[in-house]
Amino acid sequence: MNELHLETSPYLLQHAKNPIYWKAWNDKTLALAKEQNKLIVLSVGYSACHWCHVMEHESFEDEEVALVMNEHYISIKVDREERPDIDSIYMKAVQLMTGQGGWPMNVVLLPDGKPVWGGTFFRKNNWIDALQQLQQLYQNEPAKVYDYAEKLLSGIQAMELVSVDNEAALPTMKELEKLVTKWAKSFDKEYGGYARAPKFMMPNNYLFLQRYGYQTQNNEILDFVDLTLTRMAWGGLFDTIGGGFSRYSVDMRWHVPHFEKMLYDNGQLLSLYSEAYKRTQKPLYKEVVEKTHEFIKAELTMENGAFYSALDADSINEDGKQEEGAFYVWQKDELERLIKEDYEIFSAVYNINEFGYWEHKNYVLIQTRPLEEIANTYHITFKELKLKKQGWEKLLYNERKKRHSPGLDDKVLTSWNALMLKGYADSYKAFQKQEYINAAIKNAEFIVKEMWHADGFLWRTYKNDKAKIKGFLEDYAHTIDAFITLYEATLHEQWLLYAKQLADYCLDNFYDEKKQFFAYNQVNEKALIAAHYETEDNVIPASNSVMANALFKLSILFENSHYEIRAKNMLRLITPNFDYASAFSNWLNLWLNFSGQNRELAICGTNAAEAAKQINSLYIPHVLLAGCTGKSPIPFLKGRFVKNSLMFYVCKNKACNLPVYDADEAVKQLKINIEQNEF
């Protein structure tokens, strides 16, 4: 029978009433497959996935499909967000077999878990035909199936890391410049992002490019970053009415999104837009941060400070049917009725025209011109138009609340919570808004209380007041990174000490001495069919690149050469893969950390926290900040506190200048290397 009613994942519960005899991934289910010598259907998706819902409706709710699956297969449903390790391993198999990947992901496995066939979305008849043919082949020619499975497994294992000489030199500035020049050939110079569709936001790419452009005084790169951030904020990708970004745009213009809103995107984009605001002081970037915060607060925040995972793309339309984007789109007659006498200028701002049209009489709001330009056209002041825009958005927000809301994925994931925690800490650095740091601290306290077991490990997921599934490397890496950022924002040393404690746990339980990288699963836990080492940065930076950057910072703050050696070795080993730079942007950020431009700043004194606010509001990405308001146990700060005095120590390569007593003088010392373009 279908056993998914026993689970807590919203995605698995969505399938709990299917006629398929779904089971969860666990030892009992895997043992059953071996006992009955049955092939396994592994189906992986997530609750906000539109095409997952479509395949469920077409196939998994169908009695004919159920008959085939229930008779011949052990059927397992997996929420990829709960078990990213399973998803990663079998996605490699699908990519090897088909040349592409995506969700839903459907793979047929041998009873021992080795994959033999798979793909993504299947129509009902194709799905039935494939399953019947595979079952017949397995029954009549099992040796052929096992032989193919072994070859496929070898291919999966070959996709893992290949060790190289870890004495290789780090890339030079000239080599980095070549990488960025090659990278720039894929830039969309009209709408920002990359010249292809669909368009994903890739926040870490732009965090690096912004830093690179700043540290090399490359205005072309900085202009491209600003073009991208502006167009993303103007596009339908960003919900200008209710706040928050959708996962990606299906077109080149950032216009029509795949409407699900994911916590991990919005957390990273808070960091990106906050950093960009510090560099430019652009009001648009501040508006994005404020609206994203309001969305997170209203839709994805629990009373205990935890954050939910996502809102679905689909919602119930006026006809009572599930429809992608139904909650977010508008029709012309509806807008004319609501906006009344301001409709003409409203339509100019949001392109209620051929450019802004989507399909089925629906429009997705998109801005293409600055408000100043539109105000001039209509002979009103910028201030008047801005006030009108705020009024329109409030009106449409209240009207939209009358619609059926998208479904909520209400599970809590440690790594995604950490990304949002970091986003709030970075927002506080930029804007000093107490509400932002309160959200960050409350979430950090939730992680410590509910997701950190007394035995030292982190849990992966939380729902119904219960944490479960041991965490993966990404949960540790992002939590460590977030705690370091929270320390920089507050100077509360407990967060830094927590970060070190978790890093030490990772070195003891995830680090592979032979590979010199961290495994995705704990090395002493029962392994899947192959080990997984996450090294390529994607929409979320790779857990190994996050760990390496964190170890670099911790090596300085705790004067720990072991951390530094680990981070540098990881960078050296990954360097030969840098040909496609966008997949390694967080590693390139680490390389900039090891460059001659990097600085450390210690602020010590009773008023150090206030002084840190001033420094944190500046765009100085090459600076690692630490500070204390009393005697500190942090080695980097040892002996630097003097009562009734505020001192700033600027350091480079473990050597510090004489302290200065003025923040502006310290900033001059920090910025001098940028002006000299020193590498």
Side-chain angles (χ1 to χ4, degrees):
M1 300 298 291
N2 190 324
E3 299 178 359
L4 296 187
H5 65 281
L6 302 172
E7 300 300 309
T8 59
S9 158
Y11 175 67
L12 299 185
L13 291 172
Q14 286 170 5
H15 292 265
K17 294 183 179 180
N18 295 167
I20 312 294
Y21 294 164
W22 291 119
K23 299 181 185 299
W25 180 285
N26 53 47
D27 291 342
K28 180 182 175 183
T29 300
L30 298 176
L32 182 65
K34 290 181 180 179
E35 179 185 324
Q36 297 185 1
N37 193 29
K38 280 188 174 182
L39 294 174
I40 298 169
V41 167
L42 172 65
S43 184
V44 181
Y46 58 101
S47 71
C49 168
H50 171 72
W51 290 104
C52 299
H53 299 319
V54 174
M55 189 164 178
E56 178 190 16
H57 178 67
E58 288 191 8
S59 296
F60 300 145
E61 293 177 352
D62 185 87
E63 294 290 347
E64 188 180 357
V65 172
L67 188 64
V68 174
M69 292 178 66
N70 293 342
E71 182 176 355
H72 299 297
Y73 291 86
I74 298 296
S75 299
I76 300 177
K77 257 290 171 194
V78 166
D79 182 339
R80 68 173 294 262
E81 295 164 357
E82 278 195 338
R83 292 301 303 266
D85 56 332
I86 296 170
D87 177 67
S88 297
I89 289 295
Y90 291 106
M91 186 61 74
K92 291 176 184 177
V94 170
Q95 289 169 338
L96 282 171
M97 288 185 280
T98 68
Q100 60 186 16
W103 299 275
M105 177 177 69
N106 295 284
V107 193
V108 173
L109 318 178
L110 292 173
D112 62 5
K114 294 172 186 165
V116 295
W117 177 86
T120 54
F121 176 83
F122 294 93
R123 294 292 179 188
K124 172 188 167 181
N125 291 337
N126 294 339
W127 179 242
I128 290 175
D129 289 345
L131 293 184
Q132 288 176 333
Q133 290 178 38
L134 280 164
Q135 168 56 24
Q136 290 170 8
L137 183 63
Y138 182 63
Q139 183 176 334
N140 298 327
E141 299 180 77
K144 184 181 289 187
V145 179
Y146 275 92
D147 181 59
Y148 178 75
E150 288 298 329
K151 290 176 181 177
L152 184 57
L153 179 59
S154 296
I156 294 171
Q157 293 169 336
M159 294 174 71
E160 290 300 343
L161 299 169
V162 178
S163 295
V164 296
D165 179 14
N166 68 349
E167 295 303 317
L170 295 177
T172 64
M173 183 57 208
K174 196 168 185 180
E175 290 171 317
L176 183 56
E177 185 179 354
K178 287 180 182 177
L179 284 171
V180 175
T181 300
K182 180 181 177 181
W183 190 357
K185 292 178 181 178
S186 64
F187 292 170
D188 181 341
K189 299 298 179 63
E190 184 175 5
Y191 290 100
Y194 301 120
R196 60 177 180 263
K199 268 188 170 175
F200 288 84
M201 294 169 287
M202 309 297 286
N204 193 260
N205 280 192
Y206 302 106
L207 281 166
F208 166 75
L209 287 170
Q210 178 173 237
R211 179 179 177 183
Y212 173 84
Y214 170 76
Q215 291 189 214
T216 60
Q217 299 180 335
N218 187 325
N219 289 325
E220 285 187 18
I221 293 293
L222 293 177
D223 289 344
F224 172 71
V225 171
D226 285 325
L227 170 68
T228 300
L229 298 194
T230 298
R231 288 292 190 173
M232 289 197 314
W234 281 357
L237 183 81
F238 180 66
D239 180 6
T240 189
I241 292 172
F245 287 85
S246 295
R247 193 163 72 95
Y248 65 87
S249 167
V250 301
D251 58 81
M252 296 274 287
R253 302 177 299 172
W254 305 109
H255 180 209
V256 180
H258 200 23
F259 288 91
E260 69 266 48
K261 291 180 178 178
M262 314 302 293
L263 182 70
Y264 64 78
D265 283 321
N266 285 284
Q268 292 179 89
L269 289 163
L270 278 182
S271 295
L272 175 58
Y273 276 90
S274 294
E275 288 293 292
Y277 178 81
K278 291 198 294 187
R279 179 177 56 84
T280 65
Q281 301 294 298
K282 285 192 174 185
L284 176 63
Y285 298 168
K286 182 178 182 180
E287 179 184 339
V288 166
V289 171
E290 290 173 342
K291 286 182 174 179
T292 301
H293 160 64
E294 291 301 325
F295 160 67
I296 296 297
K297 181 173 71 170
E299 304 292 344
L300 296 183
T301 303
M302 296 176 65
E303 287 187 11
N304 62 3
F307 302 116
Y308 295 130
S309 292
L311 290 182
D312 287 358
D314 300 357
S315 56
I316 298 173
N317 62 18
E318 291 181 348
D319 298 327
K321 297 180 180 178
Q322 288 281 349
E323 180 184 350
E324 183 183 4
F327 182 73
Y328 299 100
V329 299
W330 302 91
Q331 296 198 349
K332 186 176 180 180
D333 58 353
E334 183 181 22
L335 292 170
E336 287 176 331
R337 174 177 58 83
L338 291 166
I339 306 300
K340 298 184 173 65
E341 66 274 5
D342 275 341
Y343 175 76
E344 183 181 351
I345 188 170
F346 174 92
S347 65
V349 171
Y350 290 117
N351 286 279
I352 310 304
N353 51 36
E354 185 178 346
F355 187 89
Y357 181 75
W358 179 28
E359 62 180 12
H360 309 311
K361 297 183 179 180
N362 292 321
Y363 291 83
V364 177
L365 305 185
I366 180 172
Q367 189 176 335
T368 53
R369 292 189 290 162
L371 289 184
E372 294 89 340
E373 184 180 315
I374 298 172
N376 289 336
T377 301
Y378 286 87
H379 308 293
I380 62 174
T381 66
F382 166 71
K383 185 177 180 180
E384 286 177 302
L385 183 53
K386 187 176 179 181
L387 288 172
K388 282 181 180 291
K389 182 173 180 286
Q390 291 171 348
W392 299 332
E393 289 175 351
K394 185 175 181 180
L395 174 68
L396 294 181
Y397 178 81
N398 289 330
E399 183 69 18
R400 204 172 70 176
K401 284 171 66 176
K402 300 173 185 177
R403 300 175 179 177
H404 290 279
S405 298
L408 170 68
D409 186 332
D410 61 352
K411 70 177 178 293
V412 173
L413 298 173
T414 299
S415 61
W416 295 13
N417 270 245
L419 287 166
M420 181 54 67
L421 192 170
K422 177 176 168 57
Y424 269 127
D426 283 331
S427 298
Y428 177 72
K429 287 182 182 181
F431 303 105
Q432 284 90 52
K433 195 169 181 179
Q434 193 63 35
E435 197 170 1
Y436 297 161
I437 200 63
N438 289 347
I441 292 172
K442 193 170 184 179
N443 183 255
E445 290 172 342
F446 162 79
I447 290 175
V448 171
K449 179 182 177 183
E450 301 291 349
M451 308 305 287
W452 197 347
H453 194 273
D455 289 342
F457 66 83
L458 292 175
W459 293 110
R460 168 68 177 173
T461 185
Y462 174 93
K463 190 181 173 186
N464 299 335
D465 298 324
K466 183 179 180 182
K468 67 175 189 176
I469 304 176
K470 277 193 173 183
F472 306 103
L473 181 64
E474 71 168 70
D475 297 300
Y476 293 85
H478 292 298
T479 301
I480 293 165
D481 188 33
F483 283 176
I484 293 172
T485 305
L486 186 55
Y487 163 71
E488 291 173 337
T490 63
L491 301 190
H492 294 167
E493 290 169 348
Q494 64 173 331
W495 305 118
L496 189 57
L497 295 171
Y498 284 156
K500 182 183 185 300
Q501 189 174 342
L502 289 170
D504 289 339
Y505 183 90
C506 288
L507 285 164
D508 289 340
N509 294 277
F510 287 87
Y511 190 71
D512 185 324
E513 290 285 351
K514 185 177 180 181
K515 296 284 189 181
Q516 298 187 59
F517 282 88
F518 293 86
Y520 194 74
N521 298 67
Q522 290 198 43
V523 294
N524 56 351
E525 296 285 333
K526 184 178 179 181
L528 298 173
I529 58 167
H532 177 46
Y533 301 83
E534 187 181 57
T535 57
E536 290 193 16
D537 300 318
N538 205 302
V539 291
I540 298 177
S543 47
N544 266 288
S545 73
V546 178
M547 276 299 305
N549 275 276
L551 286 175
F552 169 82
K553 292 180 179 180
L554 294 174
S555 74
I556 293 169
L557 297 174
F558 289 95
E559 297 179 355
N560 188 316
S561 60
H562 178 67
Y563 294 164
E564 180 183 1
I565 291 168
R566 291 287 179 266
K568 189 171 286 188
N569 281 346
M570 292 166 74
L571 181 58
R572 284 172 172 156
L573 287 166
I574 206 69
T575 295
N577 298 295
F578 278 1
D579 185 56
Y580 190 57
S582 63
F584 300 95
S585 55
N586 204 36
W587 292 106
L588 294 176
N589 183 74
L590 177 62
W591 181 84
L592 288 180
N593 285 342
F594 278 113
S595 75
Q597 286 190 339
N598 234 57
R599 297 289 186 271
E600 301 87 45
L601 173 65
I603 308 174
C604 299
T606 306
N607 297 321
E610 285 301 312
K613 288 182 182 180
Q614 179 183 346
I615 302 296
N616 276 327
S617 69
L618 305 174
Y619 184 68
I620 43 176
H622 62 298
V623 175
L624 174 60
L625 183 146
C628 59
T629 56
K631 290 184 178 180
S632 173
I634 309 301
F636 178 68
L637 301 174
K638 188 176 180 180
R640 298 193 191 276
F641 176 78
V642 177
K643 192 175 181 181
N644 298 324
S645 182
L646 179 63
M647 294 187 287
F648 301 81
Y649 299 82
V650 175
C651 310
K652 172 187 174 183
N653 292 337
K654 303 181 178 65
C656 297
N657 299 342
L658 291 173
V660 295
Y661 301 89
D662 179 74
D664 292 336
E665 179 58 34
V667 170
K668 286 181 183 178
Q669 292 186 23
L670 293 170
K671 285 191 171 183
I672 190 169
N673 65 313
I674 300 298
E675 293 163 3
Q676 294 177 348
N677 198 20
E678 172 198 327
F679 263 87

